[in-house]
Amino acid sequence: MHKYFGEWLKVIDSKILNTTLQKLDKEYKVKSILPLKNEVFKAFNLCNYNDLKIVIIGQDFGNKL
């Protein structure tokens, strides 16, 4: 896990992360989900923790609103 998340593990709750990974694993087995399973947390590889200035978290609800 450290190899994938690196310095981000300083600020990520490992218990919540493990729970999330288990839930995602179950969902990927029964549904067609994007992004691909191996790219869900790709942002952690693309953005170095020490270079981060701000985080914006959002949800695209599409036509459901």
Side-chain angles (χ1 to χ4, degrees):
M1 190 167 325
H2 182 66
K3 182 179 178 183
Y4 191 85
F5 290 100
E7 295 293 312
W8 284 101
L9 289 175
K10 293 183 205 178
V11 295
I12 296 174
D13 184 315
S14 61
K15 187 175 181 179
I16 293 173
L17 178 60
N18 286 330
T19 301
T20 302
L21 291 171
Q22 289 172 359
K23 288 179 181 180
L24 282 173
D25 193 45
K26 289 178 185 177
E27 292 294 319
Y28 273 98
K29 288 179 181 176
V30 296
K31 297 179 183 176
S32 178
I33 301 174
L34 292 175
L36 299 174
K37 187 176 177 182
N38 63 339
E39 294 183 349
V40 172
F41 296 106
K42 188 175 181 179
F44 292 102
N45 285 320
L46 296 176
C47 181
N48 185 319
Y49 172 78
N50 295 318
D51 294 335
L52 183 71
K53 303 293 185 232
I54 187 170
V55 174
I56 299 173
I57 300 173
Q59 173 73 37
D60 180 8
F61 292 101
N63 294 330
K64 295 182 181 180
L65 292 178

